[in-house]
Amino acid sequence: MLRLKHLAAGGRLAVSLFCITVLAALVSATFLIVQSTGSTSLVDIDAVKQKYTQSLLVGAMWGSMYEYVTEDESIHIVERWIAAGTPQDLYDAEVKAVMAEDCTNCHSRSSTMTKAVPSIPLTSFEDVVAFTPRGLPDGKLLRGLHFHLFGIGTALLAMGVLLAVTDLAAFWKVVIPLAGFVGLWLDTGGWVAGRFTEAAAYMIVAGGTLVNASLAAMALLILLDCWIRIPVLSSRPPHAA
Ligand code: HEC
């Protein structure tokens, strides 16, 4: 049977460099999470909820636009309106006044404020409703699914195959890649589920953690197995090496 250790040094070097590249990709992905959620804590469940399960409107009010919100109750008014299915009468009765008080100074087609954003008006019912669908917007969701399923699926396959030709016990060769695929499906499934439930944030965090742990473990184990024997996890006795 093919074993990594039987590859010529050049082959093992190529496999090792691939593993180091995967580890570098994981480190950069970690920084990307920190950067895109704007949080220094790696697992900031509130930031995940905001990005993947809230509407852009509520997300902005709790997040980047919070400084303009006069009181938290204004956000709760908007949340109740969205939960009720964005009816026009509730908009006219409550939401319109919140927008007029806190937001339309800047968010109107005719605003003259220095920070004006005429491209994101919040002056009419239709304007505001456009920001109420929950979760990632269609384009971001589809792009994210496409790149993650293709990219990480391929990385998991490559690492899984390499792991299969290490000296590790069969148990690890099954469990570690499996955990990665389960994590990938949990993570990406959570992005879709985020449009319906806030609980999806936990799927995303658990899934992302599993994928990263699986890839990191495989990269390290394969890298080590190219050059040395890993006693505790291996199935082969030393003399077979
Ligand atoms: C002082 C001016 C100002 C006020 C007041 C203001 N905004 Fe904004 N808003 C901006 C600017 C500028 C941007 C674009 C920022 C960017 O894209 O980085 C923005 C962007 C947004 C976005 C898009 C965010 C995104 O992630 O794409 C939303 C939604 C939003 N604002 C909602 C609101 C709401 C709701 C209020 C009222 C509570 C509000 N804004 C008050 C200036 C303002």
Side-chain angles (χ1 to χ4, degrees), residues 56-61 64-66 68-70 74 78 98-99 101-107 113-117 120 122 131 140:
L56 210 49
L57 189 62
V58 171
M61 290 181 87
S64 59
M65 296 291 125
Y66 188 68
Y68 308 121
V69 175
T70 36
S74 306
V78 173
V98 169
M99 293 298 129
E101 186 179 7
D102 293 347
C103 318
T104 55
N105 271 345
C106 299
H107 289 276
M113 303 276 289
T114 19
K115 285 193 176 176
V117 265
I120 313 177
L122 293 172
F131 289 95
K140 272 193 181 170

Side-chain angles (χ1 to χ4, degrees), residues 38-221:
S39 166
T40 46
S41 137
L42 248 191
V43 179
D44 182 335
I45 194 78
D46 288 328
V48 175
K49 278 183 185 164
Q50 202 179 90
K51 183 171 169 195
Y52 294 96
T53 76
Q54 281 180 354
S55 63
L56 210 49
L57 189 62
V58 171
M61 290 181 87
W62 283 122
S64 59
M65 296 291 125
Y66 188 68
E67 60 177 301
Y68 308 121
V69 175
T70 36
E71 47 181 351
D72 286 359
E73 178 54 20
S74 306
I75 310 179
H76 295 138
I77 288 173
V78 173
E79 285 175 338
R80 281 197 296 270
W81 172 61
I82 293 176
T86 67
Q88 168 112 41
D89 54 347
L90 195 55
Y91 172 83
D92 290 332
E94 295 185 350
V95 177
K96 194 176 174 174
V98 169
M99 293 298 129
E101 186 179 7
D102 293 347
C103 318
T104 55
N105 271 345
C106 299
H107 289 276
S108 92
R109 291 175 184 82
S110 56
S111 172
T112 52
M113 303 276 289
T114 19
K115 285 193 176 176
V117 265
S119 57
I120 313 177
L122 293 172
T123 41
S124 73
F125 174 70
E126 289 76 17
D127 289 341
V128 181
V129 166
F131 289 95
T132 58
R134 295 172 61 157
L136 289 177
D138 292 351
K140 272 193 181 170
L141 179 67
L142 293 172
R143 246 194 318 279
L145 288 177
H146 171 77
F147 285 119
H148 272 72
L149 293 173
F150 259 125
I152 298 180
T154 309
L156 283 169
L157 173 71
M159 300 304 272
V161 169
L162 289 172
L163 193 73
V165 293
T166 62
D167 287 345
L168 293 198
F171 175 79
W172 304 111
K173 297 180 179 178
V174 174
V175 169
I176 302 177
L178 188 66
F181 277 103
V182 169
L184 178 59
W185 283 102
L186 264 181
D187 188 16
T188 49
W191 301 356
V192 177
R195 297 189 154 201
F196 311 102
T197 167
E198 220 178 65
Y202 298 95
M203 288 171 66
I204 294 170
V205 170
T209 308
L210 263 184
V211 174
N212 285 345
S214 163
L215 281 172
M218 289 196 282
L220 280 173
L221 291 170

